[in-house]
Amino acid sequence: MNFSFNEDEEKFRQYVRKFLEENITPEVKLDTIRNHSGGAHAKELLQKAVKAGLLGLTFPKEYGGKELPPSYEFIASDEGARLEAPEWPSFKLCARTLINYGSEYLKREYLPKIMSGECELCIGFSEPEAGSDLANLRLRAVEDGDDYVLNGQKVFTTAANAVELVWLLARTDPDQPKHKGVSLFIVDLKSPGITVRPMPTMDGGQTNEVFYDDVRVPKRNMVGERGRGFYYAMSALQSERHLVFATGRAEAQLDRLIAWARETKHNGVPVSKDPVVRHAIARLATEVMTGRGLEAKVLSYVLKDQVSDVWASMHKIFGTQLEQRIYDTGMSLMGAYGQLRADSKYVPQEGEFELMARRSVVWSIGGGTNEIQKNIIARTHLHLPQT
Amino acid sequence: MDLDFSEDQQLLRRTVRAFLEQNCDKVFVRAMETDGRGYSPDMWRRMADMGWLGLGLPEEYGGSGGSVLDLVILHEEMGRVLCPTPHQSTVVLCGTAISLAGSDEQKHELLTKIAEGKVIMAFALPETDGTWQADDVKTAAKQNGDGFFINGRKMFVHWAEQADKLLVVARTESKSDPREGISLFVVDTRSAGISYTPLLGTARDKQAEIVLENVFVPAKNQLGKLNEGWAVVEKALQWGLVASCAQMSGGCDRVLQMSTTYAKERVQFDHPIGSFQAIQHYLSDMATECTGVQTLVYRAAWTLDEGLPANKVVAMAKVQAGDSYRHVAAVGHQIHGGLGFTLEGEMELYSRRAKAMQLSMGPSLVWEEVVAQEIGL
């Protein structure tokens, strides 16, 4: 039994923290909110992060990776979460799949560019009729000579407005069962026929609708086998979930709440001495520690290269709900001032909790809704009967 | 980062589980609720034979050695089947205190007896507020000749009437910091001047009020340094709390298991109710909560075994375990429907104990305050 990381891993953590503290500027954060991974400042950060050796840590050396254990990848994600670094799905969700299933051509063509930060991918999965029921997706890919021709629409393709490529799921075989007739492609967002329409989101950022009108993608841009796209997408999501939802951010925000309570005074007495405040924050701190335990459970399986899906689902549900509670509690403890936005006079803590309350709404929904996570636990962990 | 148990620990768990499966069914648990003694001396003897009454106690004084994590394994299994036993009070709370503070002679005398199953002990710390904190200790011990006279009132002492000896936490000096001036005494339960009133609680476990009127304790039964007993209490309490949390974790897990099994077997509307999403989501949430509690308890044990500062994580484990066990039991009742409400089912055995354990050894509010201090509020 060991709940700690080793000395080298701790050194790496300090290294990552220092890099991120020095390089995540307010401009970068603004870019992150607006475009997630894309945007000029975020791009600059990505390329610096790549040079500093923060990404692709577990990949084979022949593809520019460092073949380090998954603990390093987790630590980098955790520190990134703490300091609100961009999510970098190109590395977390796409590159590994490319390494495992992509053709030699695709690996040669795209991996170096991804690994250097020159090219980034956005995720083109969801559609208006295909959210949790992703297998219901309809975007068609029809064979035509050396190409597939794409027609249809994607929604929630975050960062499509800012990056170079899209990691796209399209239906190649409508006669197959839904989840077996889908293939995965790498598509150049500059291709003729692609229209990106912004969808502003409640946190001041944006995601996008993307329309595909007779868009040609070369056949060799299919990742892996035809008809296996759904499987590739699901397994990537399941094995990377713990990275996307690392507990570092909840911890950092809790620290902010504690700092606020200590610094703020009512009638000359720090708010941190109020029993109601102490009770509320102590509970949140206890829950953050519990979340860390669920995370340790995931990691203990990942580090042994064992299936960790169920534990990752538990961690995701617990962590996202906890974050929402942290921001809601923070705003409540601030009373009337909790509602003020960052640009308002008298706003406490730079309006962080008000903003995070708006940002965190999507986390219990995206990356597999919490309800779907509960279904996964029921089915694969508890073996409950399915209708 | 590795949450595996060693081979020895896995063997311990298998052995304990098999023993309890043989010797601690629900008929026995229910019988002990109305039994005057409340535990089985035969089971106690057999636990001694297995070395479990020496678990966590130093081998040089007859103990079996072992870590807090080993104790967690034992208590998790005991909690799973609601085993009624004075193990935590005797071996963990009192045993640890004696190991830390006892003289060589006291350790030889008492620890050996504990490990051999020859003495039951109760940890007489809590008083009127039931908080298990130093400021609740008003019981006074006054030095007089070759001993002390103790006067005071203890409350919510587990196994007090069934024990042979009490470990009494009393104030020998009045200081501004309530943690100073506290001393520890090993007191015969049948000493002149002690009276007991059983406290009848929802868990139907053995707790009592103890009134001490001029109870004389010879000096040789005073444990450790005079006026410096609280540091020993704190340490023993850390171990005792983690053992209690382990029991709660085991209970949570059993409720999850029972509820899942029931959901698969109970058919309504032509389907097992476990196929309905409301039930599935109840159980998934329960599984998440159980895993959360369990890993937090393991972390607390590991932290103590590593010799790292543990006040925060132990307090957090107590808060989380108490609340989660209570919540899991409530959802368990929902899933079991009418059957869980009757005495035919086992659910109500768990839900009553969940509440009692949440409120014992200091309720959540007390330990939340400890967390608040530890995080710098």
Side-chain angles (χ1 to χ4, degrees):
Chain A
M1 180 80 49
N2 182 8
F3 279 88
S4 62
F5 290 100
N6 64 40
E7 213 182 303
D8 286 338
E9 287 163 340
E10 285 301 335
K11 277 207 191 94
F12 178 69
R13 183 186 284 280
Q14 294 311 315
Y15 171 75
V16 176
R17 186 173 291 195
K18 185 157 176 288
F19 171 86
L20 293 174
E21 271 168 0
E22 284 168 6
N23 288 285
I24 296 190
T25 59
E27 290 80 25
V28 166
K29 277 199 185 178
L30 223 55
D31 257 0
T32 306
I33 290 170
R34 246 199 288 281
N35 301 305
H36 287 253
S37 296
H41 295 102
K43 190 69 143 176
E44 200 189 316
L45 175 70
L46 169 61
Q47 284 168 351
K48 275 191 187 161
V50 158
K51 280 207 186 72
L54 262 54
L55 295 163
L57 296 160
T58 57
F59 297 162
K61 285 186 179 143
E62 68 184 287
Y63 299 118
K66 292 193 160 61
E67 291 177 9
L68 285 168
S71 48
Y72 284 80
E73 191 176 32
F74 166 73
I75 287 168
S77 297
D78 196 40
E79 289 301 310
R82 168 178 280 277
L83 290 154
E84 295 175 64
E87 273 147 25
W88 294 319
S90 307
F91 288 84
K92 288 193 180 120
L93 291 173
C94 309
R96 187 187 306 286
T97 307
L98 197 51
I99 289 169
N100 289 340
Y101 301 108
S103 62
E104 286 312 309
Y105 160 73
L106 280 180
K107 284 194 269 214
R108 259 195 335 267
E109 181 66 23
Y110 289 107
L111 264 178
K113 291 181 190 151
I114 293 170
M115 297 296 286
S116 71
E118 188 192 324
C119 274
E120 290 172 85
L121 296 128
C122 57
I123 308 297
F125 289 175
S126 298
E127 295 184 9
E129 302 302 316
S132 289
D133 185 9
L134 187 57
N136 199 37
L137 69 88
R138 294 179 185 171
L139 192 151
R140 275 289 270 127
V142 178
E143 278 188 80
D144 183 28
D146 289 330
D147 298 330
Y148 280 92
V149 179
L150 305 171
N151 276 286
Q153 184 202 343
K154 290 294 183 190
V155 77
F156 303 128
T157 312
T158 306
N161 55 312
V163 303
E164 297 79 14
L165 306 164
V166 57
W167 188 251
L168 188 76
L169 280 178
R171 190 164 298 285
T172 41
D173 302 89
D175 300 326
Q176 291 294 312
K178 278 192 196 171
H179 59 287
K180 285 197 177 151
V182 169
S183 306
L184 185 59
F185 294 90
I186 294 180
V187 179
D188 186 339
L189 277 165
K190 291 208 174 49
S191 308
I194 295 184
T195 312
V196 176
R197 223 167 35 90
M199 295 171 79
T201 53
M202 65 188 283
D203 60 350
Q206 71 172 84
T207 181
N208 305 285
E209 280 181 302
V210 183
F211 299 88
Y212 298 80
D213 294 305
D214 291 333
V215 177
R216 305 195 80 90
V217 58
K219 276 185 174 167
R220 62 188 182 171
N221 272 33
M222 181 185 287
V223 178
E225 281 173 52
R226 181 165 162 160
R228 294 274 286 160
F230 189 74
Y231 165 74
Y232 297 147
M234 288 296 106
S235 50
L237 278 170
Q238 274 163 312
S239 59
E240 309 295 319
R241 189 160 279 129
H242 68 289
L243 298 176
V244 176
F245 294 100
T247 312
R249 189 174 49 226
E251 231 171 45
Q253 294 293 341
L254 179 71
D255 286 344
R256 178 186 283 275
L257 184 56
I258 293 170
W260 167 83
R262 288 163 57 94
E263 289 156 13
T264 309
K265 292 199 164 85
H266 281 166
N267 301 321
V269 179
V271 149
S272 63
K273 299 304 172 198
D274 181 332
V276 168
V277 173
R278 293 172 86 78
H279 159 79
I281 299 180
R283 290 223 72 102
L284 290 174
T286 301
E287 287 169 342
V288 169
M289 186 67 90
T290 304
R292 278 289 189 203
L294 288 168
E295 196 169 63
K297 185 91 176 174
V298 180
L299 283 174
S300 70
Y301 281 77
V302 170
L303 291 173
K304 285 180 290 185
D305 208 18
Q306 287 171 4
V307 172
S308 59
D309 301 4
V310 159
W311 315 113
S313 292
M314 289 184 184
H315 170 245
K316 196 256 176 184
I317 295 165
F318 188 89
T320 51
Q321 286 179 341
L322 171 58
E323 275 211 64
Q324 290 167 352
R325 269 201 302 283
I326 291 174
Y327 308 132
D328 192 59
T329 302
M331 287 173 78
S332 292
L333 293 178
M334 289 171 177
Y337 292 83
Q339 69 185 302
L340 297 178
R341 290 197 327 261
D343 48 359
S344 173
K345 197 174 180 189
Y346 307 117
V347 63
Q349 287 292 313
E350 297 152 335
E352 263 293 298
F353 291 129
E354 188 275 331
L355 173 61
M356 293 306 278
R358 284 185 284 122
R359 287 190 79 184
S360 61
V361 169
V362 74
W363 294 331
S364 52
I365 298 165
T369 65
N370 284 4
E371 288 69 29
I372 292 291
Q373 303 309 321
K374 291 181 196 191
N375 288 355
I376 292 171
I377 295 167
R379 194 176 62 240
T380 63
H381 181 56
L382 301 173
H383 308 293
L384 287 165
Q386 306 298 300
T387 39
Chain B
M1 188 69 65
D2 176 4
L3 268 49
D4 285 343
F5 287 99
S6 69
E7 294 271 337
D8 283 346
Q9 286 169 333
Q10 291 175 49
L11 178 61
L12 173 65
R13 189 186 289 279
R14 281 198 300 272
T15 313
V16 173
R17 193 175 286 198
F19 173 85
L20 291 171
E21 245 161 50
Q22 285 288 311
N23 295 287
C24 187
D25 63 11
K26 290 305 177 288
V27 174
F28 172 71
V29 170
R30 279 204 191 282
M32 290 301 102
E33 284 192 345
T34 47
D35 179 80
R37 201 187 277 117
Y39 72 98
S40 158
D42 181 60
M43 186 190 285
W44 189 248
R45 258 192 303 278
R46 290 162 71 194
M47 283 187 176
D49 292 340
M50 307 282 255
W52 299 341
L53 302 188
L55 198 57
L57 302 182
E59 287 171 276
E60 57 198 291
Y61 298 103
S64 326
S67 59
V68 181
L69 202 53
D70 295 331
L71 280 166
V72 159
I73 291 170
L74 177 67
H75 280 265
E76 209 174 4
E77 292 308 309
M78 294 197 297
R80 197 187 295 281
V81 299
L82 306 178
C83 182
T85 167
H87 189 283
Q88 190 231 16
S89 65
T90 306
V91 182
V92 187
L93 284 165
C94 295
T96 304
I98 296 163
S99 300
L100 288 168
S103 65
D104 212 49
E105 202 185 311
Q106 286 167 330
K107 286 193 275 198
H108 267 301
E109 157 83 20
L110 291 163
L111 294 182
T112 320
K113 280 213 179 91
I114 287 175
E116 288 175 353
K118 296 206 166 91
V119 71
I120 309 273
M121 290 191 70
F123 196 71
L125 161 61
E127 298 194 12
T128 310
D129 291 342
T131 59
W132 290 60
Q133 304 303 306
D135 58 3
D136 199 27
V137 176
K138 310 245 174 0
T139 296
K142 257 206 179 79
Q143 200 149 12
N144 191 306
D146 56 352
F148 296 81
F149 280 99
I150 303 184
N151 279 281
R153 175 179 172 262
K154 294 290 181 184
M155 279 286 284
F156 303 109
V157 179
H158 291 259
W159 302 106
E161 280 185 285
Q162 292 72 27
D164 304 297
K165 294 184 190 293
L166 307 172
L167 198 147
V168 177
V169 180
R171 198 165 286 290
T172 35
E173 228 181 85
S174 229
K175 297 279 195 136
S176 53
D177 184 342
R179 290 169 300 180
E180 290 178 31
I182 283 186
S183 305
L184 309 178
F185 301 88
V186 178
V187 179
D188 230 77
T189 45
R190 305 298 148 214
S191 302
I194 306 188
S195 58
Y196 302 88
T197 304
L199 297 172
L200 311 177
T202 192
R204 295 186 175 271
D205 54 354
K206 299 296 180 228
Q207 296 187 53
E209 174 195 29
I210 308 173
V211 174
L212 302 119
E213 278 181 285
N214 286 331
V215 177
F216 181 74
V217 181
K220 71 175 172 70
N221 288 351
Q222 189 253 320
L223 203 69
K225 289 209 179 84
L226 211 55
N227 296 319
E228 290 179 31
W230 188 255
V232 176
V233 169
E234 253 182 2
K235 194 77 201 162
L237 200 46
Q238 281 181 332
W239 284 48
L241 279 166
V242 174
S244 176
C245 291
Q247 287 181 30
M248 290 192 261
S249 171
C252 281
D253 201 57
R254 177 77 183 115
V255 171
L256 171 63
Q257 195 190 8
M258 266 168 31
S259 305
T260 306
T261 302
Y262 184 74
K264 289 175 183 172
E265 289 167 359
R266 172 69 175 160
V267 174
Q268 287 286 263
F269 307 106
D270 295 321
H271 293 284
I273 64 170
S275 67
F276 301 142
Q277 205 174 54
I279 302 293
Q280 293 200 347
H281 284 202
Y282 272 160
L283 288 166
S284 295
D285 283 342
M286 215 194 267
T288 303
E289 237 183 315
C290 288
T291 308
V293 170
Q294 192 185 56
T295 47
L296 186 51
V297 174
Y298 292 165
R299 184 194 292 273
W302 172 82
T303 306
L304 283 169
D305 283 333
E306 290 291 301
L308 297 165
N311 282 346
K312 183 172 76 169
V313 69
V314 170
M316 286 177 166
K318 171 66 163 97
V319 170
Q320 190 70 54
D323 287 2
S324 288
Y325 194 13
R326 179 71 200 102
H327 183 240
V328 161
V331 178
H333 268 298
Q334 270 318 102
I335 295 171
H336 278 82
L339 192 64
F341 183 66
T342 69
L343 297 187
E344 264 183 58
E346 291 177 24
M347 256 319 303
E348 62 94 29
L349 291 170
Y350 287 87
S351 54
R352 287 187 284 113
R353 277 159 188 70
K355 194 62 193 174
M357 291 186 82
Q358 184 193 41
L359 300 176
S360 294
M361 299 189 78
S364 296
L365 280 174
V366 166
W367 296 105
E368 276 166 14
E369 176 52 34
V370 171
V371 172
Q373 283 166 27
E374 290 285 326
I375 62 178
L377 285 173

